[in-house]
Amino acid sequence: MRFFLIGLMVLFGFSACTETKKHKIDVSKVNIDFTIERFEEDFYMATESQLPDLKEKYPYFFPPQITDSVSLAKIYNKDEQELFAETQKIYKDFTEYKLQLTNLFKHIKYYKPKFRAPKVITMLTNIDYASRVIYADSLLIVSLDVYLGKNHPFYKDYPKYIKENNSKEHLIIDVATEIVKKQIPPSNNRSFVNKMIFEGKKMYLLDAYLPLVSDKEKIGFAEDKLAWAKANEEQIWSYFVEKNLLFSTDTKLNSRFLDVAPFSKFYMEQDNLSPGRIGVWVGWQIVRSYMQHNDVSLQELINTNELDLYKKSKYKPKR
């Protein structure tokens, strides 16, 4: 099996357009109410006399072991103030992102009427990639300093595949992803195809909740990597089948095809052309095929057993 070499252009075909139209719904009458609090502004612009009020407003950010002297040292730190200043250049006016959050929450509530929008708190975490977004039902915390743009000097020492999604456009993707993670029950089946479809369900929920966002942004691949995935879909699937990987429970397949990585590991010469997480992308296409061939609701999709879904998906990779 050989993978095809391709250029940098991504051609968004008929299927992508179909998905967008399918999920383009009217949410204008969906009522949503939430607040946004700007902790980073309150914190880095605070004086010593304002600290008591700050601690009262945000008690969860000031555990007992954090003394006032520690907080003040952080506020007056030159590097932290520079990080705050750079963040303010993009996010001082948060109107655009409030509209994005509102639209996201409305779409979620449309599909899940019991959904209640969380309180949103923005902050800085010294570029902590592992804590980009934290969602805990009634609270959503967003680390704005991770979204300054992939070419920002603060990220110069980070790998390209990591900083590819450090853009303001990806902020809403990470928010939606964290909410989606809480909506899909875990599966006990550890086969590779099961894991791919489990991840594919998450991606399909992003289709529904963010209908106007491109596939590129949702999956987080660079343009050339997404183009490679599309051009080689049949070859990728053939590799999985020929190597008997679909029903394998080998945990090494996670790092090879499901985890965030610079590329997927087929152990072939052209591996570096592939995106990491190619198994997630394939799982997404399987779920899309299932939803095209079966009349089920989004909630029914969430509750469908992954292996049953695979059998009913009629998935045929594009040539």
Side-chain angles (χ1 to χ4, degrees):
M1 179 196 62
R2 296 167 56 191
F3 291 121
F4 299 113
L5 290 171
I6 56 176
L8 295 178
M9 181 178 294
V10 177
L11 299 178
F12 293 96
F14 176 76
S15 61
C17 294
T18 301
E19 287 298 328
T20 298
K21 290 179 181 178
K22 180 191 300 184
H23 297 297
K24 196 172 182 180
I25 57 177
D26 181 9
V27 295
S28 60
K29 295 182 180 179
V30 177
N31 294 318
I32 210 78
D33 183 42
F34 68 101
T35 60
I36 298 177
E37 296 181 353
R38 305 293 304 276
F39 174 73
E40 81 284 358
E41 291 186 344
D42 292 344
F43 184 77
Y44 287 104
M45 298 174 70
T47 62
E48 184 173 0
S49 62
Q50 294 172 322
L51 197 56
D53 291 337
L54 194 63
K55 292 167 67 176
E56 183 176 350
K57 183 177 181 181
Y58 303 100
Y60 28 79
F61 291 147
F62 295 93
Q65 62 268 32
I66 302 297
T67 64
D68 288 358
S69 59
V70 170
S71 296
L72 290 170
K74 187 175 178 66
I75 290 172
Y76 299 137
N77 181 276
K78 179 181 177 181
D79 292 337
E80 302 233 6
Q81 282 292 334
E82 181 183 5
L83 182 62
F84 173 60
E86 287 297 301
T87 306
Q88 283 290 92
K89 289 179 181 179
I90 301 174
Y91 298 107
K92 183 176 179 61
D93 182 354
F94 208 68
T95 305
E96 173 187 349
Y97 309 99
K98 183 175 183 179
L99 289 174
Q100 290 181 14
L101 289 165
T102 300
N103 195 46
L104 168 64
F105 295 159
K106 282 189 172 189
H107 276 81
I108 297 174
K109 190 169 184 179
Y110 175 89
Y111 290 107
K112 297 182 73 68
K114 293 183 180 180
F115 173 78
R116 298 184 66 179
K119 176 196 291 188
V120 178
I121 299 180
T122 63
M123 64 180 302
L124 308 185
T125 57
N126 297 112
I127 314 178
D128 182 356
Y129 288 91
S131 303
R132 290 169 175 257
V133 175
I134 297 174
Y135 171 63
D137 297 323
S138 62
L139 188 64
L140 180 75
I141 300 174
V142 182
S143 303
L144 296 182
D145 49 334
V146 186
Y147 303 101
L148 300 180
K150 63 182 180 180
N151 295 319
H152 196 283
F154 286 168
Y155 310 141
K156 65 179 181 179
D157 294 328
Y158 291 90
K160 181 180 179 181
Y161 74 97
I162 291 291
K163 59 186 179 183
E164 177 67 31
N165 298 313
N166 286 21
S167 64
K168 62 182 182 179
E169 291 79 14
H170 206 75
L171 187 157
I172 196 66
I173 307 295
D174 286 343
V175 169
T177 298
E178 289 304 308
I179 295 175
V180 163
K181 286 179 181 179
K182 297 291 182 72
Q183 296 183 348
I184 301 181
S187 172
N188 294 324
N189 190 307
R190 308 316 299 163
S191 68
F192 180 51
V193 70
N194 189 88
K195 292 177 181 177
M196 285 197 294
I197 292 173
F198 180 77
E199 295 299 326
K201 284 183 178 181
K202 297 178 186 176
M203 295 303 304
Y204 193 85
L205 260 64
L206 293 187
D207 284 338
Y209 295 163
L210 299 170
L212 300 181
V213 175
S214 70
D215 283 3
K216 175 191 175 302
E217 286 296 336
K218 282 181 285 193
I219 192 66
F221 291 170
E223 287 188 358
D224 58 324
K225 299 281 189 175
L226 178 57
W228 186 95
K230 289 186 173 186
N232 291 285
E233 184 176 352
E234 184 180 21
Q235 288 72 33
I236 294 165
W237 184 251
S238 294
Y239 180 92
F240 291 161
V241 173
E242 291 168 7
K243 297 295 184 180
N244 297 316
L245 301 184
L246 293 184
F247 298 99
S248 170
T249 56
D250 184 355
T251 57
K252 292 180 181 178
L253 295 175
N254 295 348
S255 59
R256 290 178 61 189
F257 302 116
L258 297 173
D259 296 344
V260 176
F263 53 83
S264 294
K265 300 173 181 65
F266 297 92
Y267 303 136
M268 302 176 70
E269 288 185 7
Q270 298 178 18
D271 277 5
N272 64 313
L273 299 178
S274 70
R277 301 172 66 235
I278 195 65
V280 176
W281 186 82
V282 171
W284 189 13
Q285 309 319 307
I286 294 173
V287 174
R288 280 180 164 178
S289 180
Y290 171 80
M291 294 301 284
Q292 288 172 2
H293 292 99
N294 295 272
D295 184 18
V296 297
S297 68
L298 206 61
Q299 189 58 48
E300 288 171 328
L301 166 67
I302 291 172
N303 294 329
T304 299
N305 174 276
E306 281 77 15
L307 289 181
D308 288 342
L309 187 155
Y310 168 61
K311 293 174 184 177
K312 297 177 182 178
S313 69
K314 299 182 181 180
Y315 172 65
K316 291 183 179 180
K318 296 179 179 64
R319 296 177 178 273

